[in-house]
Amino acid sequence: MSDETVQFFKSRYVEETQAESVNPCPVAICTPMYNSEPFLEKYLQAILQLNYPRDLLSLNFTVQGDDRTFDILKEFKSEFSHMYRGIRIEKIALITDEYLPHIQNVVHCRNLLAKWTAPDPVFFIDHDNFPPPETLKKLLQDLQTGASIAAGVYLFYKRDRKRPDLPGMMNFTAFFLINGEMGAAGLNSSGMEGVLPEEIFTKQLWVDAVAMGSTLMTRKILDEHQFIVPEGRIMSDDTAYCLQAGRTGHRFIADFNLLIPHWGYDIHFTSLEGSGLVHLKASISENMSQRRQKMHEDGIYITEIALKPKADDIQEKFHSACLFHRNGEIDKAEDLCRRILDKMPDHADTVQLLGCILFQRGIINEGIVHLSRSTELSPENPLFFNNLGMALKESGQIEESIAIFRRALDLRPDSAEIHHNLGSAFQALGRLKAAASCYGQALDIEPDHFLSHKALSDINLPGEDYISILTRIHSWLKPATYLEVGVQSGRSLTLAQPPTIALGIDPEPRITHEFNAFTKIYPMTSDAFFESHNPQKEMDNQAIKLAFIDGLHLFEQVLKDFINIEKNMLKQSVILIHDCLPLDERTSARTRGTKFWSGDPWKMILCLKKYRPDLRVSAIKTPPTGLGIVTNLDPGSTVLQENFDKIISDFIPLDFNHLKQNYDTTLNAAPNDWTWIRRQMEGAKTI
């Protein structure tokens, strides 16, 4: 390490004035997982060993790549969810664009995780980084100095592709500026060992950028800045984020007291007495070496991509235009497209992009002209025909769009997206049978195609969606008390209006809406709530007048919630149950395998018809998956409770095939008609 670098570091030491202890606060741990099975055991051990109150931690994972990672995390959640404030695991589709797909996926997942976890600060941990137990508390202390991001420094392995004869070297992911040029704190020696000044090794340092491998971030910086795909090819998304945020006054600390172990490394530090230096030696496992080599060969890492030969100037500018467009900088994207076309008028990709931009701006005719021309320049590109079809459909030229979508399918018959778009054109013309056929073909190709599931739902259950119906019910009924199981973001709970007293129950509430009525949130399971609380006492000693069950999408839990709620209601009260009209077998399975998923609450309709004929039970045909409505209640009934075990054994084995012959009759399907719905609740107006 040069004297200039050492002196620069000395000028940036953080004065250690922070408190010796820190008051713990809620923190969201977030990790984008990608083919992470080799790291998971060690990663999860590191999470479990963090010295921090677990009831203040939520764990949040996006999963891409191998299914085994998803399965292991689900097992972990099942085993440890009771110890944490919440555990969320979501499978995310891979972005497969040619331009920096690895970076695009990381950026997309980081932004999703940041959005999900508001309003908590976020502790980003890479899937192959393993923070020491004191890391989180230490980084929280670092934030008290005024930093927006505090990062544990971790080592990574970098091979010089220009010198393949060298074994590679260790680098730190702490970035700095000297004389206006960016550099990284490295060991300045080839191989896997070197020395660094002890005074650096034991300090916190103000830096211009840090890597997100083990990083605690304030909510303020997350709210103000999104992660972006960098425009250049030699800058990581981490560095781009910090430089962007730094321009608005945010500061970053690299904490050299926290050197984070990295998967596959065996790292040893030895103080060289009397020298003021620390000797660092690292070895790398054979498994790690092979994995890294494979990823380099595949061009996954940005450091590798940076060393590849540059594309021609036109293609490079086109990629920049795409990035401007993706990041919402439409003016820059359009200007760059026009400059490209000045030099190369027949650059098909740019003609296509400019057409999309113009259409997006509302310059419809010119946009369609460019989109049409792109198909002439590249007549074998199904994407171009698909985009032209979408533009024609949205501009009202639906018959023309159908012909174009069919041309796209001639070129790419295995595209679920194009089949779906053709279906949407048929649906716009009212040709619902043809539309449903197209959506079915899309789902044959891609069984988890959410938009096709949603479109089929809209065909099967036309009219106002369940949120609109709930809005009408609250507005008309004006219940004195309202209880909701399954709050999530608070979207439906916010429909309660003063003077209603509202209670929301959810073990992992992620409130993003402002409530209108007086509202209490209970962050626990519904079983735990009814065991430890009397809902009537929580509502100023009033019975529940309206309830909405939308928690776990499993029949047995809906049954338990119904039993617990009914005993706290009046005869004239109303219980609403979401997801009582399933779409198909796959989306109504008990185990979630699709984004569009209702589970098996529909069995509650069958159960109540058999065991509680005294109730009035219907399922309103409102999208996306129906809304059960139950009236004429009997708070004193114990029938369901007394027959609980038999009910479970009778109904759990049923699947969607049970509904195929007489769907509407079996589920007491009722019209999505407000006049009809209102009549079912007339008695509730009297309480």
Side-chain angles (χ1 to χ4, degrees):
M1 188 175 291
S2 68
D3 290 341
E4 184 181 23
T5 301
V6 172
Q7 291 303 316
F8 181 83
F9 276 151
K10 287 182 177 179
S11 72
R12 290 202 163 192
Y13 285 161
V14 176
E15 293 186 13
E16 298 187 45
T17 57
Q18 65 266 32
E20 292 184 1
S21 61
V22 63
N23 292 322
C25 64
V27 173
I29 293 178
C30 295
T31 300
M33 296 284 183
Y34 173 73
N35 289 343
S36 304
E37 184 180 357
F39 319 124
L40 271 182
E41 182 177 356
K42 194 170 180 182
Y43 168 89
L44 293 172
Q45 285 176 357
I47 296 297
L48 288 167
Q49 291 168 5
L50 283 175
N51 182 13
Y52 200 84
R54 288 174 178 162
D55 60 350
L56 292 177
L57 293 177
S58 65
L59 309 182
N60 306 271
F61 308 107
T62 58
V63 180
Q64 297 177 301
D66 64 275
D67 289 333
R68 183 61 184 145
T69 298
F70 186 69
D71 293 338
I72 293 172
L73 288 175
K74 285 197 297 184
E75 292 171 12
F76 178 85
K77 179 177 180 178
S78 175
E79 182 72 22
F80 295 102
S81 60
H82 67 283
M83 298 166 53
Y84 291 93
R85 195 158 56 98
I87 300 179
R88 179 171 181 173
I89 310 161
E90 298 284 351
K91 289 201 75 170
I92 304 298
L94 277 168
I95 299 170
T96 56
D97 290 359
E98 291 184 4
Y99 186 70
L100 303 182
H102 176 65
I103 302 300
Q104 290 191 54
N105 281 292
V106 170
V107 165
H108 177 59
C109 289
R110 288 199 195 281
N111 284 328
L112 282 178
L113 289 162
K115 180 180 178 181
W116 292 343
T117 52
D120 296 342
V122 166
F123 185 24
F124 275 118
I125 308 175
D126 282 353
H127 64 181
D128 56 357
N129 280 271
F130 318 112
E134 298 299 323
T135 300
L136 186 48
K137 283 187 175 179
K138 188 67 175 63
L139 295 180
L140 204 53
Q141 287 181 342
D142 290 342
L143 291 187
Q144 293 177 358
T145 65
S148 295
I149 295 179
V153 175
Y154 75 91
L155 302 170
F156 69 97
Y157 181 62
K158 182 179 180 183
R159 184 181 296 276
D160 188 345
R161 302 297 290 178
K162 295 179 180 179
R163 292 289 306 280
D165 54 309
L166 296 179
M169 62 183 294
M170 301 299 296
N171 274 291
F172 294 121
T173 54
F175 296 88
F176 55 87
L177 293 172
I178 296 180
N179 299 326
E181 295 186 3
M182 175 167 289
L187 296 178
N188 200 28
S189 64
S190 63
M192 303 294 286
E193 60 182 308
V195 294
L196 66 155
E198 193 169 42
E199 55 191 343
I200 293 174
F201 178 71
T202 58
K203 294 287 184 180
Q204 298 86 37
L205 179 74
W206 292 116
V207 292
D208 296 280
V210 293
M212 303 299 172
S214 182
T215 309
L216 184 61
M217 308 178 68
T218 64
R219 177 49 54 178
K220 185 174 189 295
I221 193 173
L222 290 167
D223 289 343
E224 290 181 4
H225 297 279
Q226 279 202 326
F227 292 94
I228 59 172
V229 178
E231 295 174 21
R233 290 182 166 225
I234 60 172
M235 185 184 298
S236 70
D237 57 296
D238 316 76
T239 306
Y241 184 88
C242 291
L243 294 180
Q244 176 193 35
R247 296 188 187 101
T248 58
H250 291 283
R251 302 189 74 186
F252 320 112
I253 286 179
D255 195 323
F256 280 75
N257 285 297
L258 295 169
L259 278 108
I260 309 299
H262 190 54
W263 180 76
Y265 294 131
D266 184 14
I267 304 172
H268 298 278
F269 301 97
T270 306
S271 178
L272 304 178
E273 291 187 16
S275 68
L277 300 174
V278 172
H279 178 259
L280 183 154
K281 185 171 183 178
S283 59
I284 183 170
S285 71
E286 183 179 355
N287 189 3
M288 172 69 151
S289 181
Q290 292 172 351
R291 180 181 172 85
R292 284 286 185 257
Q293 184 63 34
K294 178 67 166 61
M295 296 179 89
H296 279 306
E297 290 170 358
D298 292 344
I300 289 177
Y301 281 133
I302 194 166
T303 52
E304 174 70 6
I305 292 172
L307 297 170
K308 290 181 179 177
K310 275 194 172 185
D312 61 80
D313 183 56
I314 291 294
Q315 198 64 20
E316 194 74 25
K317 286 182 178 179
F318 171 72
H319 282 312
S320 295
C322 290
L323 286 168
F324 283 137
H325 184 240
R326 186 178 295 118
N327 293 329
E329 299 179 85
I330 304 300
D331 289 341
K332 291 182 180 179
E334 181 180 348
D335 178 67
L336 190 50
C337 283
R338 293 192 184 280
R339 284 193 279 127
I340 293 170
L341 294 177
D342 284 343
K343 292 184 178 180
M344 188 179 289
D346 293 338
H347 192 260
D349 288 335
T350 304
V351 173
Q352 165 78 188
L353 178 58
L354 181 56
C356 292
I357 291 169
L358 292 169
F359 194 87
Q360 185 179 347
R361 283 187 175 281
I363 308 173
I364 306 299
N365 292 335
E366 187 180 350
I368 289 176
V369 167
H370 279 78
L371 291 170
S372 180
R373 184 163 178 267
S374 73
T375 64
E376 297 168 1
L377 294 170
S378 184
E380 301 303 315
N381 191 323
L383 174 64
F384 288 5
F385 283 95
N386 183 57
N387 288 345
L388 174 59
M390 289 298 294
L392 290 169
K393 181 176 81 74
E394 292 180 24
S395 67
Q397 302 175 64
I398 300 174
E399 292 286 2
E400 292 85 347
S401 76
I402 290 173
I404 295 297
F405 285 134
R406 283 175 167 157
R407 173 66 178 130
L409 284 173
D410 288 341
L411 297 168
R412 185 74 184 275
D414 62 345
S415 170
E417 179 185 0
I418 300 173
H419 279 289
H420 171 83
N421 291 340
L422 177 58
S424 69
F426 282 129
Q427 188 172 358
L429 290 176
R431 296 166 62 181
L432 301 185
K433 187 174 180 179
S437 175
C438 291
Y439 297 142
Q441 291 177 74
L443 290 167
D444 288 340
I445 297 166
E446 189 178 323
D448 193 20
H449 197 272
F450 176 83
L451 292 177
S452 291
H453 278 137
K454 176 68 170 61
L456 281 172
S457 167
D458 290 338
I459 290 175
N460 294 343
L461 304 174
E464 294 182 288
D465 67 12
Y466 82 102
I467 288 291
S468 299
I469 297 299
L470 285 173
T471 302
R472 284 182 177 270
I473 290 172
H474 277 282
S475 178
W476 180 77
L477 200 56
K478 296 181 175 60
T481 54
Y482 172 62
L483 183 141
E484 181 170 305
V485 176
V487 172
Q488 297 181 329
S489 68
R491 181 187 178 199
S492 52
L493 190 56
T494 193
L495 300 177
Q497 302 294 322
T500 297
I501 298 173
L503 303 187
I505 306 165
D506 194 310
E508 299 179 18
R510 300 180 182 276
I511 307 301
T512 59
H513 293 74
E514 293 186 7
F515 299 124
N516 297 304
F518 176 77
T519 303
K520 300 178 185 178
I521 301 295
Y522 297 84
M524 59 183 67
T525 65
S526 55
D527 287 348
F529 172 81
F530 288 113
E531 184 177 343
S532 59
H533 293 74
N534 181 331
Q536 297 190 45
K537 286 186 178 180
E538 301 296 322
M539 294 175 158
D540 292 345
N541 295 313
Q542 299 183 74
I544 305 169
K545 309 299 172 57
L546 176 66
F548 178 42
I549 300 174
D550 190 22
L552 282 179
H553 294 209
L554 295 175
F555 165 65
E556 62 270 29
Q557 188 60 53
V558 176
L559 176 59
K560 286 192 283 186
D561 290 338
F562 186 94
I563 291 170
N564 284 322
I565 289 171
E566 186 186 22
K567 66 177 63 172
N568 287 284
M569 302 189 91
L570 301 173
K571 178 180 177 64
Q572 303 94 328
S573 298
V574 178
I575 297 179
L576 304 171
I577 306 171
H578 197 208
D579 302 314
C580 287
L581 293 175
L583 177 64
D584 57 27
E585 184 173 2
R586 185 185 295 272
T587 61
S588 61
R590 287 176 55 78
T591 300
R592 184 168 194 168
T594 53
K595 298 182 186 72
F596 186 102
W597 181 64
S598 60
D600 66 346
W602 57 269
K603 295 171 185 174
M604 195 65 195
I605 302 294
L606 280 64
C607 167
L608 295 179
K609 287 174 66 176
K610 178 176 180 179
Y611 284 90
R612 293 290 305 279
D614 55 310
L615 301 174
R616 287 201 299 269
V617 182
S618 300
I620 304 166
K621 300 175 75 170
T622 179
T625 49
L627 183 66
I629 180 169
V630 185
T631 57
N632 196 43
L633 304 175
D634 180 2
S637 175
T638 58
V639 172
L640 298 177
Q641 200 162 355
E642 291 169 357
N643 292 277
F644 186 86
D645 292 340
K646 181 169 178 17
I647 292 171
I648 294 300
S649 65
D650 286 349
F651 287 96
I652 290 292
L654 298 182
D655 61 20
F656 187 79
N657 290 320
H658 185 78
L659 305 174
K660 285 186 175 179
Q661 287 190 343
N662 296 292
Y663 183 96
D664 281 9
T665 302
T666 304
L667 292 171
N668 280 13
N672 188 359
D673 175 77
W674 174 239
T675 301
W676 184 93
I677 296 168
R678 191 174 57 194
R679 281 202 305 268
Q680 308 312 301
M681 302 183 297
E682 288 290 354
K685 286 287 282 185
T686 65
I687 56 174

